[in-house]
Amino acid sequence: MLQYQAVWEQGVHIDNILFEKIHYQLYSINDFYVEVHYDAISNKIIGKLAFKQGEHLDKYLGDLPEI
């Protein structure tokens, strides 16, 4: 539970994706990201994933406008 507490207290919410009734909440903490998986039907957090880059981050970049 301490890891989730760090996300809520130190993390900055970046984005949210809804896919198959699961909310994927992206937070930034220092030099890495945390994705929290929330099931809206059961009203429970069902997992988390920490990463710095790669395919997990790429799915959030699709909505950015081209420059």
Side-chain angles (χ1 to χ4, degrees), residues 2-64:
L2 290 175
Q3 293 176 341
Y4 288 112
Q5 186 175 354
V7 171
W8 310 150
E9 292 177 1
Q10 300 172 25
V12 175
H13 184 261
I14 303 294
D15 202 357
N16 175 55
I17 293 176
L18 176 61
F19 181 73
E20 295 184 357
K21 300 181 183 174
I22 304 295
H23 291 265
Y24 297 88
Q25 301 283 331
L26 181 66
Y27 293 85
S28 172
I29 300 177
N30 298 324
D31 64 342
F32 68 95
Y33 299 94
V34 176
E35 183 180 72
V36 177
H37 308 157
Y38 171 75
D39 182 351
I41 294 173
S42 67
N43 195 29
K44 294 185 180 189
I45 294 172
I46 57 173
K48 67 179 173 344
L49 177 66
F51 54 92
K52 287 193 174 192
Q53 60 187 9
E55 67 184 54
H56 296 293
L57 184 57
D58 291 347
K59 66 184 168 194
Y60 293 95
L61 300 177
D63 293 337
L64 294 177

